[in-house]
Amino acid sequence: MRKRIFRGWSAAALAVLAVTAATPPAAATTTGPVTQWGLEVFDLPSVPAAAASGVSQISAGGINALALKNGGVIVWGDNQYGQLTVPTGLDTGVSAIASGWGHELALKAGRVHAWGNSWYGQTAVPAAATSGVTAIATDVFHSLALKQNGQVLSWGSRTDVPAAAQSGVSAISAGGDHSLALKNGAVLAWGGNRYGQSTVPTAATSGVTAIAAGYQHSLAIKNGAVLAWGDDQWGQTDVPPGLGSGVVGIDSGGNFSVAWKADGTYYAWGFDDRGSVSNSPGCDISPQDGCRMTPGMLAISAGQQQIVALQAAA
């Protein structure tokens, strides 16, 4: 596993690193507490007591993290853009959450709500995203929404959506400066392509069931196997041998990747500053070689340089 360790970066430099909320994890049938590990970006504090039980969704961002509990949003981390102040009305009825770099998204009754950092208008929700939305995703500075008719909306630092993503899309994922969509089993990709992250490989043009966009790399699941392409400076697209079958979930952090299997094993690979990859709790081997999700992890969300996990209820 390749590593590069960077220390003492400025806030501006950290902002350039990616965060992806990817596809929000599915709500668990038996929900429990939240745990986190890796670099404590901007002194990300401990998981709040409110997230000690009953959480059904999680989303790790760049300088914040979100949890969904009984339809209400819980947020912790940095507050320089007011992101700890959850808008009125988001204490109940929320169905999905997504954390970006200093901005947050929530979906309630088909309407997208956004707050926090809006340098590029990423919290200026377009009128089309105020009704009929079924899914949300965000990254550093742009946000995505999926409408009931399969249309993708984009705002913030990227507003472009190709014609192919105007209908029939079933899943979305926002990367650093690129976006992914899933349509009829084929991956659609657009935006930044410096490292080929938007150049979809032939293998990902059919039979794909899940997608996840990182800063400058992309992941997909096909027939239970992980596909990866784009930037590989830290080995984030070097898929571990154990991920050729049985994979049920993926997510992409800034410059690292995670995947988990139906048998309770999870893997992490790529950029490993402060142990976002290697310092997982209860793992006695490298996560790249496969760790059991203990104790009873149900879902994982990869942030900029940290991981937030949802555990089963005790």
Side-chain angles (χ1 to χ4, degrees):
M1 182 190 312
R2 287 178 280 173
K3 297 183 188 178
R4 292 187 185 180
I5 306 300
F6 295 89
R7 306 190 190 282
W9 283 24
S10 67
L14 281 169
V16 176
L17 280 176
V19 52
T20 177
T23 305
T29 55
T30 305
T31 57
V34 173
T35 187
Q36 62 186 18
W37 65 91
L39 178 63
E40 292 186 352
V41 183
F42 286 81
D43 296 321
L44 188 68
S46 300
V47 177
S53 64
V55 170
S56 58
Q57 286 188 28
I58 49 175
S59 181
I63 53 179
N64 290 90
L66 296 176
L68 186 62
K69 178 177 180 177
N70 299 326
V73 177
I74 300 170
V75 58
W76 64 99
D78 181 80
N79 196 37
Q80 60 184 308
Y81 306 105
Q83 58 268 48
L84 296 186
T85 303
V86 179
T88 302
L90 299 184
D91 56 348
T92 184
V94 175
S95 58
I97 49 176
S99 184
W101 196 92
H103 73 283
E104 321 300 332
L105 301 183
L107 180 62
K108 179 177 180 178
R111 177 173 186 160
V112 178
H113 298 260
W115 67 100
N117 181 24
S118 198
W119 287 345
Y120 297 92
Q122 58 268 46
T123 65
V125 179
T130 59
S131 65
V133 173
T134 60
I136 51 176
T138 191
D139 71 323
V140 184
F141 298 130
H142 81 282
S143 303
L144 300 177
L146 180 62
K147 298 275 285 186
Q148 289 173 336
N149 62 356
Q151 177 189 10
V152 178
L153 307 174
S154 182
W155 65 97
S157 61
R158 292 211 71 95
T159 60
D160 54 321
V161 177
Q166 297 289 344
S167 64
V169 170
S170 58
I172 51 175
S173 184
D177 191 40
H178 74 292
S179 301
L180 300 181
L182 184 60
K183 182 176 180 176
N184 299 325
V187 177
L188 307 177
W190 64 95
N193 198 35
R194 180 180 180 185
Y195 295 95
Q197 64 267 35
S198 295
T199 302
V200 180
T202 301
T205 59
S206 66
V208 172
T209 55
I211 51 175
Y215 182 37
Q216 295 180 127
H217 74 287
S218 303
L219 301 179
I221 298 177
K222 179 177 181 176
N223 298 326
V226 175
L227 306 176
W229 62 97
D231 187 14
D232 195 39
Q233 294 181 80
W234 293 278
Q236 62 265 50
T237 63
D238 294 341
V239 180
L243 296 177
S245 64
V247 177
V248 296
I250 49 174
D251 203 358
S252 295
N255 289 300
F256 69 99
S257 306
V258 297
W260 54 99
K261 304 181 72 170
D263 65 1
T265 305
Y266 90 93
Y267 296 70
W269 66 101
F271 188 71
D272 192 34
D273 193 8
R274 307 291 177 88
S276 55
V277 169
S278 63
N279 196 32
S280 55
C283 184
D284 57 2
I285 59 174
S286 164
Q288 188 175 41
D289 297 321
C291 290
R292 289 286 173 182
M293 286 196 271
T294 56
M297 292 181 192
L298 298 168
I300 293 174
S301 180
Q304 179 175 292
Q305 294 177 56
Q306 79 276 19
I307 290 175
V308 176
L310 176 64
Q311 299 173 239

